[in-house]
Amino acid sequence: MSKARLTFLGTGTSQGVPMIGCGCDVCRSRDSRDKRLRASAFVEYEGMQILIDAGPDFRQQMLRASISHLDAILLTHNHKDHTGGLDDIRAFNYLEKRASEIYCEKYVEDSLRLEYSYAFAEKKYPGAPEWHVHNIDENPFTIESGGPYEILSWEPGKGYIHTMAGENDPVRTARIIPIRGMHYKLPVLGYRFGDIAYCTDMNHIPEEEFSKLEGLEHFVINCVKYGKHISHYSLEEAVEVAQRIGARHSWLTHLSHQLPTYNELASELPEGILPAYDGLVIE
């Protein structure tokens, strides 16, 4: 098993930091670590390039991190701050001449079919996103890259023509372990890649899932503020969960402006736990 490498593309809550119209100290901070796009991560694992969530800042995140290829997109749940950028996958479709591979729960696919109905239409508008959706749950699954695939050939005025290729291409695989969590009453998924686990938008992890989080080098967990929140871990709860799991390093993501600036927050956290920030790389 190869070592995983994770880049934080966004570490902010659903409204990002700074928040529109807000003049608080955090939103006015000049520290680049306090400029937070919506939560997303880029994982390099087993020779593959994997995206976790594609929110409204997807385009900006891809350009900022110079990402030009994705083998798979894993969705944690169906909220707009995690799926709102999926239309911009069209750029990868056009340049790589391939549909994008999306892994998500069935209820998330059902939501995408409503919000992006044009991407699932029998007769597509030319240039609509091209997706292959794979349904997953909390059981481990395998991502494959290589082997037979459809080539998308653009024909002006008609859209993509689908033909098969790659029958002799070598196949690479990566085994992913999903982590079941609850986002208030909504089931969501975190993901483990080797010795890195990424869990966002949760305020509860069922007892039976903790065995999947043993022996981690890095653990990523969400929190939005001090004190109880209806659907996210509070800072106090996130610290408690991180200490129970006992990874060598724990990182806080999905942070809001209701928490202090990066330096202030880092100074009050226990040893081994730090706020993540956009652009941070862990491995």
Side-chain angles (χ1 to χ4, degrees):
M1 180 175 66
S2 65
K3 205 166 173 57
R5 184 174 192 262
L6 184 147
T7 302
F8 290 93
L9 301 176
T11 55
T13 190
S14 59
Q15 298 186 75
V17 182
M19 189 179 82
I20 293 171
C22 184
C24 74
D25 289 345
V26 176
C27 287
R28 290 188 292 109
S29 170
R30 295 188 177 184
D31 188 336
S32 62
R33 294 170 296 185
D34 293 320
K35 309 299 183 187
R36 302 181 181 279
L37 299 179
R38 267 64 72 92
S40 177
F42 176 65
V43 179
E44 297 162 275
Y45 181 56
E46 299 288 11
M48 296 193 202
Q49 298 186 174
I50 301 165
L51 180 70
I52 306 174
D53 288 335
D57 301 317
F58 171 78
R59 178 180 179 275
Q60 183 179 353
Q61 290 166 342
M62 295 298 99
L63 292 172
R64 186 172 66 177
S66 299
I67 296 171
S68 57
H69 170 74
L70 292 174
D71 289 292
I73 298 171
L74 313 184
L75 299 179
T76 58
H77 62 300
N78 65 339
H79 285 171
K80 204 71 168 181
D81 56 319
H82 297 263
T83 64
L86 285 170
D87 182 79
D88 282 321
I89 285 174
R90 291 180 295 123
F92 288 110
N93 297 156
Y94 184 75
L95 293 173
E96 296 202 306
K97 298 180 172 56
R98 298 183 67 162
S100 295
E101 308 294 332
I102 297 177
Y103 294 77
C104 64
E105 297 197 75
K106 179 61 167 61
Y107 84 87
V108 178
E109 179 185 355
D110 293 342
S111 180
L112 297 181
R113 287 180 176 275
L114 292 174
E115 295 189 44
Y116 295 98
S117 58
Y118 58 95
F120 295 92
E122 185 175 344
K123 295 184 178 180
K124 286 189 178 181
Y125 181 85
E130 295 280 347
W131 305 338
H132 291 153
V133 180
H134 309 264
N135 288 157
I136 57 173
D137 54 25
E138 62 270 23
N139 293 301
F141 64 96
T142 299
I143 291 173
E144 289 189 358
S145 182
Y149 66 95
E150 288 182 329
I151 286 182
L152 305 178
S153 303
W154 181 257
E155 188 169 328
K158 292 186 178 180
Y160 288 116
I161 306 299
H162 295 242
T163 56
M164 292 302 297
E167 287 82 359
N168 298 318
D169 289 358
V171 176
R172 291 176 289 117
T173 62
R175 184 174 183 266
I176 313 299
I177 300 174
I179 314 299
R180 169 62 71 211
M182 295 302 297
H183 186 36
Y184 185 42
K185 296 182 179 180
L186 181 73
V188 299
L189 292 176
Y191 299 100
R192 177 170 181 164
F193 311 85
D195 58 7
I196 297 178
Y198 179 95
C199 295
T200 190
D201 287 57
M202 297 180 182
N203 68 334
H204 175 69
I205 298 175
E207 191 62 34
E208 61 270 18
E209 294 296 287
F210 278 90
S211 62
K212 298 178 181 178
L213 297 168
E214 295 174 353
L216 290 173
E217 179 76 13
H218 297 280
F219 176 57
V220 181
I221 186 170
N222 72 111
C223 74
V224 295
K225 68 184 191 74
Y226 299 109
K228 201 74 175 173
H229 188 278
I230 191 172
S231 58
H232 290 272
Y233 283 119
S234 67
L235 178 62
E236 300 84 354
E237 291 168 336
V239 168
E240 183 179 347
V241 172
Q243 289 179 326
R244 173 181 174 178
I245 288 168
R248 192 167 179 185
H249 306 280
S250 291
W251 306 93
L252 306 180
T253 192
H254 212 288
L255 306 170
S256 81
H257 69 153
Q258 296 181 64
L259 290 165
T261 61
Y262 178 89
N263 280 332
E264 292 176 87
L265 182 55
S267 70
E268 65 183 66
L269 289 169
E271 185 177 355
I273 303 176
L274 283 171
Y277 56 87
D278 293 17
L280 172 67
V281 177
I282 58 176
E283 57 185 323

